[in-house]
Amino acid sequence: MAAIKPHILILAAGMGTRMKSKVSKVLHPVLYRPMLHHLLDAASALPHASINVVVGENSSAVKEACSGYKTINYIHQPSPQGTGHAVLCARETLQEKGGTVLVLNGDVILMRPETLSAFIQSHEQKHAVGSLVSAKFKQPFGYGRILRDGSGRPLAIREEKDCSETEKQVNEVNVGVYLFDTDSLFSALERVQTSNKQKEYYLTDVVEILISGSESVNAFLMPDPTEALGINDRFALAEAEEILAERVRGHWMREGVSLHHPRSITIDPRSRFGSDVEVEANCRILNTVVESGVYIEAGCRIENSTIRAGAHLKEGCYIESAEVGPESTLGPYLHLRPGTRLEAGVKLGNFVEVKNSHVGKGSKASHLSYIGDAEVGADVNIGCGFITCNYDGQKKHKTVIEDGVFVGSDSQAVAPLTIGKGAYVASGTTLTRDVPPGALAIAREKQVNKEGFVARLRPQKKKD
Ligand code: UD1
Ligand code: CA
């Protein structure tokens, strides 16, 4: 592990013009999360002294999207005048703190924490005033090129638009990740000019300025260039998403998870799996814990949830912010909404929707039900088409269904009410008040049969 604890500075104030979007580039989702969250996760995993993010016009949107990250210090760049200018805006905040600063471009999100650690270590070992990460690309177009002298020492970074034809042939690129001694960085930045094609203050010019002042700058060549991708447009975004998804899938397959048709499966980096989990095609598993022996059939979407050991999710389950008990069987085509907690061995069948409810051990609702704001006990059997009428147009109300209750098909519970332990509810009943334990509740019109009614309605024509 690296010994220095740098101040981290993420540059995120650019316009992202190449995205052609009203949404700030760093907030575009990659694997269902804003780009910036991936970078903040990588940064948070490193030993660091502080995390600072440079924002501009996008300031309020970025702050809102990143409100879950409590320790960010925001720095305002009044107008986007280039990466060098963005860093200069952090001068007041960082210079008095001294030490080392790790600068990260906000659109370079695939760097593994291990790679960043190795970079920091290499910077320390070389006793350099500045270090940059480089990568070798088959198609370096669009990136700044690393120019070296005859003996291979870095001399400067030249932006694509400012490169000569010979310089464009260089395939070693600047990744957009740097370490600097804070004082040296800011005194070099003072000397950066805008005499380039884009008329911007380039952070990259700092390298040449330091070297011409006889300071040492170290280039750390990244072993895996797929980590170096900068997301400038929607093609690069799609590529980054694929690289990240592949990386996560590969990790879990190596850890003993079977993914069938893996390319169709999306797992985000926050999800965790036990052993012997099987996942069929077209599933999305986001920020979810899946314990051992779980089977997930095709087309399930699960997010912010926990699926306990041995559960079986049939095709097309949509599960949000819920907990599924061990050995439960769900679906096909079911919806668990936030706040749902199922105990062990629960069976919920097709077209069942459960919201903000707790369902006890071994209880069943096998077909077509809505259970909302309910406390359901153990060994309850809920027939087809049962509905909790939990909303009166203004407030939500609770339904309590105690242990061992049998609810007949096509009934409704107009909440708030309690169905007592072991009670029966007759099919077709609309419950409007409590049912005592062990009672039968029946509330429906008596059946009337009108003999001969159809014949009177449609008298048969006489045959000729
Ligand atoms: C930059 C590098 C280039 C490198 C590439 C790697 C410079 C001048 N060029 O080019 O050498 O190969 O990244 O991906 O640094 N930003 C601000 N304020 C600004 C301008 C940019 O905060 O005024 C932020 C952007 O939001 C972005 C990052 O800085 O997150 C990089 O800016 P971008 O315009 O994408 O730089 P590149 O042209 O890709
Ligand atoms: Ca970029």
Side-chain angles (χ1 to χ4, degrees):
M1 258 302 171
I4 47 169
K5 280 190 175 183
H7 293 280
I8 296 174
L9 183 65
I10 297 175
L11 310 185
M15 305 283 266
T17 0
R18 290 164 278 187
M19 297 294 282
K20 305 215 164 105
S21 174
K22 288 185 187 132
V23 177
S24 164
K25 177 167 76 174
V26 290
L27 296 182
H28 274 261
V30 171
L31 283 189
Y32 302 88
R33 294 177 73 210
M35 247 186 235
L36 196 53
H37 285 198
H38 295 280
L39 197 53
L40 287 166
D41 285 351
S44 311
L46 291 171
H48 58 268
S50 65
I51 298 181
N52 308 273
V53 178
V54 183
V55 289
E57 212 179 278
N58 59 3
S59 160
S60 54
V62 170
K63 285 178 187 169
E64 195 189 328
C66 299
S67 59
Y69 293 87
K70 299 292 176 209
T71 58
I72 301 174
N73 173 44
Y74 290 98
I75 287 160
H76 196 70
Q77 184 186 19
S79 62
Q81 299 173 47
T83 47
H85 181 255
V87 174
L88 209 48
C89 292
R91 182 178 199 156
E92 241 179 70
T93 314
L94 294 181
Q95 204 164 21
E96 64 181 34
K97 291 180 177 155
T100 308
V101 56
L102 171 64
V103 182
L104 303 170
N105 279 7
D107 58 355
V108 180
I109 64 156
L110 296 175
M111 293 279 288
R112 289 182 168 94
E114 306 88 274
T115 311
L116 287 169
S117 290
F119 172 52
I120 295 170
Q121 256 169 5
S122 132
H123 175 76
E124 264 191 305
Q125 280 161 6
K126 298 266 164 67
H127 301 289
V129 155
S131 288
L132 61 95
V133 179
S134 75
K136 286 200 170 157
F137 278 180
K138 286 202 181 91
Q139 287 170 330
F141 179 80
Y143 289 84
R145 307 296 206 280
I146 309 291
L147 308 182
R148 292 179 184 262
D149 68 12
S151 52
R153 279 190 298 257
L155 284 176
I157 301 171
R158 187 84 75 239
E159 292 307 296
E160 169 87 30
K161 287 184 178 143
D162 305 303
C163 275
S164 68
E165 283 311 311
T166 330
E167 287 165 345
K168 281 184 187 165
Q169 302 308 311
V170 173
N171 71 346
E172 186 183 8
V173 304
N174 170 37
V175 171
V177 173
Y178 323 79
L179 277 161
F180 295 105
D181 166 70
T182 307
D183 285 335
S184 312
L185 168 66
F186 288 112
S187 42
L189 268 175
E190 268 175 13
R191 297 171 53 200
V192 169
Q193 307 284 322
T194 55
S195 49
N196 52 58
K197 284 271 161 61
Q198 303 187 85
K199 306 272 177 280
E200 286 184 355
Y201 294 96
Y202 289 164
L203 171 61
T204 44
D205 284 353
V206 159
V207 170
E208 199 169 356
I209 293 169
L210 289 173
I211 290 166
S212 63
S214 312
E215 304 275 23
S216 61
V217 176
N218 156 42
F220 174 83
L221 179 64
M222 226 164 68
D224 176 5
T226 63
E227 292 180 46
L229 185 76
I231 302 177
N232 292 325
D233 57 25
R234 304 208 189 222
F235 290 95
L237 186 142
E239 199 182 336
E241 190 158 61
E242 208 30 72
I243 291 168
L244 192 59
E246 177 102 38
R247 196 189 279 175
V248 179
R249 290 190 297 255
H251 170 79
W252 289 113
M253 287 196 273
R254 282 190 293 278
E255 290 294 313
V257 174
S258 285
L259 302 179
H260 301 280
H261 301 288
R263 284 184 162 204
S264 72
I265 297 171
T266 308
I267 300 169
D268 86 334
R270 295 169 300 168
S271 295
R272 298 280 172 271
F273 294 80
S275 60
D276 287 320
V277 171
E278 298 219 17
V279 183
E280 292 184 0
N282 293 317
C283 287
R284 311 269 167 274
I285 303 176
L286 312 173
N287 191 30
T288 287
V289 174
V290 182
E291 292 185 355
S292 297
V294 167
Y295 197 101
I296 302 174
E297 291 187 15
C300 289
R301 179 179 171 129
I302 312 169
E303 54 192 55
N304 307 323
S305 294
T306 301
I307 315 295
R308 301 252 176 246
H312 188 125
L313 311 190
K314 293 184 184 169
E315 192 152 316
C317 290
Y318 184 6
I319 300 179
E320 318 164 76
S321 304
E323 187 179 330
V324 174
E327 306 296 332
S328 290
T329 306
L330 305 186
Y333 309 109
L334 149 151
H335 191 182
L336 299 187
R337 291 168 50 203
T340 295
R341 200 156 57 81
L342 312 179
E343 298 293 343
V346 167
K347 184 172 180 291
L348 302 177
N350 44 196
F351 308 111
V352 170
E353 174 179 340
V354 185
K355 185 215 80 171
N356 187 34
S357 296
H358 174 228
V359 179
K361 200 173 167 202
S363 288
K364 292 179 184 161
S366 299
H367 342 258
L368 300 145
S369 252
Y370 171 62
I371 300 168
D373 303 308
E375 175 65 42
V376 179
D379 299 319
V380 168
N381 195 324
I382 292 176
C384 174
F386 171 70
I387 294 166
T388 53
C389 311
N390 60 327
Y391 185 48
D392 62 10
Q394 280 172 332
K395 276 198 202 135
K396 305 279 169 67
H397 300 282
K398 193 170 177 181
T399 304
V400 177
I401 306 178
E402 292 182 353
D403 293 352
V405 163
F406 180 93
V407 181
S409 297
D410 191 29
S411 30
Q412 305 93 47
V414 182
L417 59 76
T418 297
I419 310 173
K421 201 169 174 181
Y424 266 54
V425 176
S427 326
T429 289
T430 300
L431 294 172
T432 52
R433 56 196 170 92
D434 291 353
V435 182
L440 167 71
I442 179 161
R444 62 191 183 209
E445 288 289 297
K446 278 233 165 76
Q447 183 172 334
V448 175
N449 292 337
K450 298 198 172 173
E451 297 283 346
F453 175 84
V454 179
R456 286 197 297 283
L457 187 70
R458 294 198 202 122
Q460 275 195 336
K461 279 185 189 164
K462 276 190 186 155
K463 280 184 187 152
D464 295 326

